Amino acid sequence: MTEDGGAAEDELSRFVYRLGEAQALTEGRCFLCGVVLEAATRTDEHVFPQWLLRRFDLYRETVNLLNGTSMPYARMLIPCCRVCNNEYLSRLEEKVSKAFETGPEAVAALDRATLFLWMGKIYYGLLFRELFLLQDRRDREAGTIVPPELLSEFRMHHLLMQAARGVVRWREDQFPASIFVFRAQEPSRPKDCFDYFDVIQAPFLAIRVGSTVVVSALQDWGALEHAVQLPALEAAKVLDLHPQQFREVAAIAGYTASLFNRVPKHLIHAAGDHVEVFTMPLGGLSLKPLYDPFEAEDFAHVLAVAFGQPVEDLFDGQYLMTLLRDGEGAPWAVPWPADEWVRPSLAEAKQRPAAGGPRVP
Ligand SMILES: [Zn+2]
């Protein structure tokens, strides 16, 4: 059957996961397995895990939400059944927490499925949490930040996350995502050692945790990793990323991921106690590139959001600001310390010597 369901769906229902129906779109069900929650089985799962909030002193810090309001990390909770929380997700957190504590090499050495599921859970958790926040808390009629229809568009992502419960598997020679691990500089205040950037349409999530950066296009079946080469990401591989450089890496990878123009087709079949996902080749019969053309102006707007400053600072219609490469295109080590946030501007960058300053193409 295809991801849109079909005749074979009845066959699946006898097994473990029914597309569409197993995805909770209300707060009364487990966000992961979809079971209806009762007082005895209900727990709250932190979107950002507690070890992370503790390690980086984030309990009282706030997350900026899509509707422009903010909420403390400690209140970013999603409904989860006791089994998913205490068995499957705890196991995941234990491995990931240790790896991040050790550093980028340990994170890169993690089993890729583990890292994918961990990133995927945070990404989906953010969407799920926002689904149940009112668009405008003063106006209940306005609906939620993320409409349920949007969440149901992520049913394939939700299906893949069932791998955390062992009930979904993909073929050994295929992998759902592109994942990059980079090194990061660590500011002196713990709370400055954490940051994230997500793109709703992609799905995409980049995260900076201590000395490690993870960038993931969560459902491109490896396209960002294998089908394109972005100079910015190549530079990132050899740099210790400054917090501002992390923002630029996240913006460029996230923007590129949003240009991915294939809707992968999947064959899903029941195999005993699990379902197997086989993804058709992304190129298919089409010679069309996998990505729509890179538009400098569109990207500049994403970069402006990532840097939190006006687009005019970063793009003048012709030149685009970067903190990742110098005038010769070589990786550029930001000369200011990790604790400092310098407001980058195109005008200033243009006055710097080409070899030493950020690249102005
Ligand atoms: Zn569950």
Side-chain angles (χ1 to χ4, degrees):
M1 64 184 257
T2 67
E3 73 154 307
D4 291 314
E9 194 163 317
D10 283 346
E11 186 194 331
L12 261 186
S13 66
R14 290 188 281 114
F15 292 90
V16 281
Y17 187 87
R18 198 181 162 93
L19 270 176
E21 286 182 25
Q23 187 181 20
L25 298 176
T26 70
E27 280 201 284
R29 294 168 62 189
C30 173
F31 86 97
L32 185 58
C33 73
V35 72
V36 174
L37 296 168
E38 285 156 25
T41 55
R42 186 186 171 111
T43 67
D44 288 314
E45 167 76 1
H46 282 78
V47 173
F48 293 100
Q50 297 194 69
W51 63 261
L52 193 148
L53 303 188
R54 253 195 315 272
R55 201 175 291 169
F56 300 105
D57 202 11
L58 294 171
Y59 276 102
R60 266 172 295 174
E61 299 300 316
T62 54
V63 187
N64 294 319
L65 301 174
L66 296 173
N67 67 347
T69 62
S70 59
M71 168 179 270
Y73 280 99
R75 282 183 50 211
M76 292 293 285
L77 303 167
I78 44 178
C80 188
C81 77
R82 208 167 279 284
V83 177
C84 285
N85 197 341
N86 296 346
E87 290 184 26
Y88 307 121
L89 297 175
S90 307
R91 216 177 292 156
L92 196 63
E93 291 301 343
E94 207 174 301
K95 281 195 242 175
V96 172
S97 157
K98 262 190 215 138
F100 274 109
E101 194 163 18
T102 311
E105 288 75 18
V107 174
L110 275 173
D111 166 46
R112 280 166 67 80
T114 297
L115 203 47
F116 165 73
L117 291 169
W118 188 75
M119 295 291 281
K121 190 218 84 175
I122 294 177
Y123 175 81
Y124 190 80
L126 281 166
L127 278 183
F128 194 95
R129 189 68 193 89
E130 301 206 353
L131 171 62
F132 300 109
L133 290 171
L134 294 171
Q135 185 92 47
D136 179 345
R137 286 176 195 171
R138 290 158 304 175
D139 177 10
R140 298 196 142 254
E141 297 300 305
T144 53
I145 298 178
V146 176
E149 306 84 74
L150 179 67
L151 200 60
S152 63
E153 283 173 25
F154 291 92
R155 60 186 180 276
M156 189 62 203
H157 180 67
H158 187 254
L159 180 139
L160 291 168
M161 281 196 312
Q162 306 307 311
R165 303 193 296 127
V167 297
V168 165
R169 296 179 199 165
W170 44 83
R171 256 176 50 159
E172 241 169 68
D173 58 344
Q174 299 188 323
F175 189 70
S178 291
I179 303 182
F180 301 86
V181 178
F182 303 118
R183 291 190 311 275
Q185 300 175 26
E186 289 181 274
S188 50
R189 281 196 311 185
K191 67 173 195 164
D192 294 333
C193 293
F194 172 76
D195 194 10
Y196 79 93
F197 186 87
D198 62 340
V199 176
I200 289 208
Q201 301 87 341
F204 174 90
L205 177 70
I207 201 162
R208 179 169 62 84
V209 178
S211 58
T212 307
V213 163
V214 182
V215 172
S216 58
L218 290 165
Q219 212 179 296
D220 72 349
W221 297 83
L224 193 60
E225 237 178 301
H226 303 296
V228 281
Q229 206 176 41
L230 299 177
L233 296 191
E234 293 307 306
K237 286 177 186 169
V238 300
L239 292 166
D240 284 328
L241 295 172
H242 184 280
Q244 290 181 259
Q245 289 177 312
F246 162 73
R247 289 249 131 201
E248 184 176 336
V249 166
I252 198 153
Y255 170 71
T256 306
S258 76
L259 298 176
F260 186 60
N261 59 27
R262 293 295 202 276
V263 179
K265 293 269 181 285
H266 310 284
L267 296 172
I268 299 169
H269 69 272
D273 61 351
H274 66 280
V275 293
E276 270 179 12
V277 180
F278 169 70
T279 302
M280 309 297 275
L282 288 179
L285 295 173
S286 165
L287 293 174
K288 199 178 141 200
L290 297 176
Y291 291 92
D292 289 339
F294 185 97
E295 301 287 349
E297 188 169 359
D298 292 347
F299 169 64
H301 281 95
V302 178
L303 192 62
V305 170
F307 280 153
Q309 63 186 93
V311 69
E312 296 74 36
D313 280 8
L314 308 168
F315 181 64
D316 64 1
Q318 190 182 2
Y319 295 108
L320 194 57
M321 169 77 189
T322 175
L323 292 177
L324 292 166
R325 295 189 300 148
D326 67 18
E328 257 103 54
W332 190 61
V334 164
W336 56 89
D339 282 328
E340 242 173 79
W341 190 282
V342 172
R343 181 172 164 161
S345 94
L346 193 54
E348 182 238 2
K350 280 179 172 173
Q351 288 165 17
R352 292 184 199 171
R359 183 161 189 265
V360 185

